[in-house]
Amino acid sequence: EGGYPYLLGGVSSWTDSFIRSFPDKRFSLVAFTTSDQERTRKFDLPANVERIVDVPIDACPPGRLPLLRGREAIAPLIRDLQAV
């Protein structure tokens, strides 16, 4: 989405409000970050956020294959989505 819960801003604030508007729903967050990004949470996560998975994405240098470092981290989330 653009930084939630690590960056303050309009979209992150909207995301936080959205999650809090549905206390009866459970949420899993996938935070796409860069390896040099600070991962200090700027928001206290609501009780209905069950987990957060950080997936670092970085620019791939020309001529190299991208590293798929985050695929193991999001595999459980993908399985959960497929089960719905």
Side-chain angles (χ1 to χ4, degrees):
E1 118 337 285
Y4 182 78
Y6 301 117
L7 300 175
L8 295 174
V11 176
S12 291
S13 295
W14 180 90
T15 301
D16 188 67
S17 294
F18 179 83
I19 292 170
R20 290 175 191 279
S21 295
F22 296 96
D24 57 322
K25 303 291 183 189
R26 298 173 300 143
F27 290 86
S28 294
L29 305 177
V30 178
F32 295 99
T33 60
T34 58
S35 58
D36 62 346
Q37 179 179 339
E38 182 183 345
R39 288 183 188 85
T40 302
R41 293 182 187 169
K42 304 296 190 220
F43 291 85
D44 291 324
L45 296 179
N48 57 337
V49 172
E50 294 191 337
R51 63 184 160 187
I52 181 167
V53 177
D54 293 317
V55 179
I57 56 173
D58 292 292
C60 183
R64 294 191 53 201
L65 294 174
L67 299 175
L68 300 175
R69 292 184 293 175
R71 68 179 155 191
E72 295 84 19
I74 64 169
L77 299 173
I78 292 171
R79 282 193 297 275
D80 289 349
L81 289 171
Q82 290 171 333
V84 174

